[in-house]
Amino acid sequence: MDRIAGDQGKHLLTVAGNTVRGVVYGILGTALVQAVLAGIGFLIAGVPGAALLALLTFFFSVVPAVGTALAWIPAALWLFHRGATGWAIFMIVWGIGVASIDNVVKPWLISQGSDLPFILIFFGVLGGALAFGFIGVFLGPTLLAVGYRVVAEWATVRRDSSPAAADSP
């Protein structure tokens, strides 16, 4: 890193490491939140094996696009089959809500661990996931974080070394 980025290389490596760590914590934290909320929905709707379905939701939530739906769609279909149409509709609405929490909770948790603006991490997670799938959830925010730090460091160095800065006391 010293050859590529000079004195700032170690700092940028730390930023990248903290961002990847934040992404891992964000994915696991989001999975936990989704599993708890899905479990509550399963209990409310009276689906048997709610705890097991919540555990499956935890593991499925890391799968891009379909994730939590792999747990709540079969539960909703089971409710429809049993004649509980109202509870099945509730399960669908609840499941869509649980699945959409991913778009807010994950970037927020990642931004807490990486000391970067929330909006930057939000776009990094969404853009990375859309462009590269699951690995993009890690790659997108990491590349944006390092790029953000490089530009911020460059702007600070340029400001500190400008002729106007040299003239000031």
Side-chain angles (χ1 to χ4, degrees):
M1 284 304 287
D2 289 336
R3 288 184 180 180
I4 295 172
D7 295 335
Q8 297 298 328
K10 290 180 182 168
H11 174 68
L12 294 176
L13 191 59
T14 302
V15 168
N18 287 343
T19 304
V20 170
R21 189 176 306 108
V23 169
V24 170
Y25 291 153
I27 288 172
L28 293 176
T30 302
L32 183 63
V33 168
Q34 287 180 314
V36 168
L37 290 175
I40 291 169
F42 295 139
L43 286 173
I44 291 171
V47 177
L52 178 62
L53 287 172
L55 181 65
L56 288 174
T57 302
F58 177 81
F59 291 113
F60 289 153
S61 69
V62 298
V63 178
V66 293
T68 59
L70 294 173
W72 61 262
I73 287 179
L77 291 173
W78 180 82
L79 288 167
F80 270 125
H81 179 71
R82 301 282 292 171
T85 307
W87 286 116
I89 292 170
F90 164 79
M91 194 77 256
I92 292 170
V93 171
W94 188 269
I96 290 170
V98 167
S100 65
I101 285 174
D102 182 68
N103 297 328
V104 177
V105 172
K106 188 181 295 179
W108 181 77
L109 287 173
I110 293 170
S111 69
Q112 296 301 309
S114 64
D115 193 32
L116 292 167
F118 171 76
I119 194 74
L120 181 77
I121 299 299
F122 180 76
F123 285 129
V125 169
L126 290 180
L130 288 174
F132 302 110
F134 180 69
I135 195 71
V137 172
F138 295 94
L139 197 58
T142 302
L143 291 176
L144 274 178
V146 172
Y148 174 80
R149 288 294 183 201
V150 166
V151 170
E153 297 290 329
W154 179 75
T156 303
V157 170
R158 295 279 293 168
R159 195 175 309 122
D160 292 344
S161 64
S162 68
D167 294 338
S168 62

